[in-house]
Amino acid sequence: MPLVKKIGVLTGGGDAPGLNAVIRAVVKAAYNASIEVVGLEDSFDGLLDPSRTRRLTPKDVTGILRLGGTILGTTNRGDPFEYPVDTPEGKVDYSDRVVDTFHRMGLNALVVIGGDGSLSIAHRFYLKGIPIVGIPKTIDNDIVGTTSCFGFDTAVDFAAEAIDRLHTTAEAHKRIMVVEVMGRYAGWIALHGGIAGGADVILMPEIPYDLGKVAAALRRRESFGAKFSIVVVAEGAKAIGGQLTVKTAARAGHVERLGGVGITVAEQLEEMTGREARCVVLGHLQRGGGPTAFDRVLATRFGGAAVELLKRGVFGKMVANNPPDIVPIPLADVVGRTKTVPLDYDLLRTARALGVSLGD
Ligand code: F6P
């Protein structure tokens, strides 16, 4: 008999294509190892209110491999350690209640599928005695210790397709099209999406930009006959010496929301170059829809590897992609850190070699 007989599984933070593929893999692999799975709804909220839980069997996950979203629901504002409430303090610590519910439900372990925020919460519960296995999820690809997170490939694929479409209208109208992509404080989506879509300029958080240099690069394109340009801007990009463009400031239980830098870049480039510019914000379209084949496979590998750890009684770890293997790494090494694009990344060198402006 396995040490672990009954587990909870939850999805936390912003959704990412592939969440359902992981849930499916965890449920099927656990079932085949005689481990009962309880699905917890809306992240850790499912452990605040036991009525928001349900048993999951292979029948419940049949056909969800290709579906976007998450059958369990998710939230990025339900940190039980700082639960947002309508009081003058604005938050309350429900973490002991979560631990209590976990034990009352007879759970032996918890699988947390989440990004940096949810994995940090998971780590705090691990330190409070809950056996945890983490699975990295985010379209931003910014979790340390894993070369990739599921959801990223799908987001990049979508960004590249959007840029393809914008190319034709940009060319027809001889315009600058500025495409704002997600990614929070990392430029992975901007860089990979931009390169895959053949962008002329890519602006990302890791390399603060000088729009004067970008305008000069666009003029150089004009000098050899190109009358249009595609500029990809990460939501976390900022000018040299400038600030992030914040849509909503952080407050109790709510993280800072970025967005809006694209329109500023478009307006300024229009003024500097005299060429008409438009801005398109890809927004949540990057997170919607079904996962690519790559993300389905990665998500399935993560789910299978997580159940392996449960069977071996190994906790406090996150499964990570370390090609060619999926390996466990300590959650403690992951939390509170952000994997940004390294400045010596070969793709940055290649982008420059191809004449792509990175704004510096
Ligand atoms: O972390 C994923 C992500 O999509 C970021 O790229 C973006 O900044 C953020 O989530 C948006 O969050 P929300 O769903 O709260 O708008």
Side-chain angles (χ1 to χ4, degrees), residues 311-353:
K311 288 197 293 193
R312 285 170 32 212
V314 177
F315 304 114
K317 308 279 186 196
M318 179 189 87
V319 293
N321 190 17
N322 185 3
D325 302 312
I326 303 293
V327 297
I329 60 172
L331 268 174
D333 293 353
V334 171
V335 299
R337 298 167 64 199
T338 302
K339 185 186 72 178
T340 53
V341 176
L343 294 178
D344 61 355
Y345 184 24
D346 69 277
L347 190 53
L348 288 177
R349 284 199 306 281
T350 298
R352 290 185 199 280

Side-chain angles (χ1 to χ4, degrees), residues 176 178 201 203 210-216 218 231 233 263-277:
I176 298 167
V178 175
V201 178
L203 305 179
D210 173 347
L211 281 190
K213 293 197 172 153
V214 174
L218 298 186
V231 177
V233 188
I263 187 70
T264 309
V265 166
E267 283 169 4
Q268 292 184 8
L269 286 179
E270 183 167 289
E271 207 174 293
M272 290 165 127
T273 62
R275 187 165 289 284
E276 220 179 5

Side-chain angles (χ1 to χ4, degrees), residues 76-77 138-140 182-184 235 257 284 287:
N76 48 13
R77 46 202 54 151
T138 172
I139 63 165
D140 303 337
M182 283 184 165
R184 228 182 267 276
E235 62 180 359
R257 278 181 68 213
H284 294 82
R287 282 183 8 203

Side-chain angles (χ1 to χ4, degrees), residues 5-360:
K5 296 189 183 126
K6 189 174 177 184
I7 61 164
V9 59
L10 65 84
T11 53
D15 68 329
L19 282 170
N20 283 323
V22 183
I23 296 169
R24 171 181 175 272
V26 167
V27 169
K28 289 195 172 199
Y31 183 87
N32 291 331
S34 305
I35 299 172
E36 186 181 337
V37 181
V38 178
L40 309 166
E41 292 171 10
D42 300 332
S43 190
F44 289 92
D45 283 10
L47 279 172
L48 287 173
D49 174 5
S51 72
R52 288 161 77 177
T53 64
R54 60 183 192 268
R55 188 163 180 227
L56 294 176
T57 65
K59 182 169 168 286
D60 302 298
V61 296
T62 298
I64 68 169
L65 173 65
R66 68 193 69 84
L67 299 185
T70 158
I71 60 164
L72 292 175
T74 187
T75 173
N76 48 13
R77 46 202 54 151
D79 178 353
F81 291 90
E82 286 190 31
Y83 203 82
V85 285
D86 224 358
T87 62
E89 227 198 36
K91 58 181 179 178
V92 63
D93 183 350
Y94 281 143
S95 58
D96 288 338
R97 195 164 127 190
V98 164
V99 176
D100 188 51
T101 314
F102 174 85
H103 290 302
R104 274 194 292 119
M105 287 174 68
L107 300 175
N108 307 126
L110 197 60
V111 174
V112 175
I113 311 167
D116 49 355
S118 308
L119 293 175
S120 296
I121 298 168
H123 182 240
R124 292 181 77 179
F125 279 119
Y126 174 65
L127 297 178
K128 269 175 102 70
I130 295 188
I132 300 263
V133 172
I135 299 182
K137 155 265 32 161
T138 172
I139 63 165
D140 303 337
N141 199 36
D142 60 353
I143 299 179
V144 298
T146 182
T147 57
S148 42
C149 300
F150 67 87
F152 172 62
D153 186 66
T154 309
V156 166
D157 213 46
F158 177 81
E161 193 200 325
I163 296 168
D164 283 352
R165 287 170 181 266
L166 292 171
H167 255 110
T168 56
T169 174
E171 187 163 16
H173 285 266
K174 302 176 188 59
R175 282 174 173 155
I176 298 167
M177 295 300 294
V178 175
V179 190
E180 182 181 308
V181 299
M182 283 184 165
R184 228 182 267 276
Y185 309 111
W188 295 104
I189 299 177
L191 180 61
H192 282 237
I195 292 295
D200 308 297
V201 178
I202 300 173
L203 305 179
M204 36 197 273
E206 294 82 352
I207 305 176
Y209 59 78
D210 173 347
L211 281 190
K213 293 197 172 153
V214 174
L218 298 186
R219 278 191 224 100
R220 267 198 304 282
R221 273 177 58 73
E222 296 212 7
S223 71
F224 66 74
K227 302 264 182 274
F228 73 97
S229 292
I230 302 284
V231 177
V232 172
V233 188
E235 62 180 359
K238 55 176 190 261
I240 295 172
Q243 302 292 321
L244 283 172
T245 309
V246 175
K247 201 164 241 165
T248 323
R251 59 187 204 282
H254 298 251
V255 294
E256 172 178 77
R257 278 181 68 213
L258 302 179
V261 65
I263 187 70
T264 309
V265 166
E267 283 169 4
Q268 292 184 8
L269 286 179
E270 183 167 289
E271 207 174 293
M272 290 165 127
T273 62
R275 187 165 289 284
E276 220 179 5
R278 293 284 189 273
C279 172
V280 176
V281 180
L282 298 189
H284 294 82
L285 290 167
Q286 292 158 100
R287 282 183 8 203
T292 57
F294 178 90
D295 278 339
R296 293 179 200 191
V297 173
L298 183 61
T300 302
R301 292 175 75 197
F302 279 164
V307 174
E308 282 294 318
L309 294 183
L310 294 171
K311 288 197 293 193
R312 285 170 32 212
V314 177
F315 304 114
K317 308 279 186 196
M318 179 189 87
V319 293
N321 190 17
N322 185 3
D325 302 312
I326 303 293
V327 297
I329 60 172
L331 268 174
D333 293 353
V334 171
V335 299
R337 298 167 64 199
T338 302
K339 185 186 72 178
T340 53
V341 176
L343 294 178
D344 61 355
Y345 184 24
D346 69 277
L347 190 53
L348 288 177
R349 284 199 306 281
T350 298
R352 290 185 199 280
L354 267 58
V356 175
S357 166
L358 300 176
D360 59 344

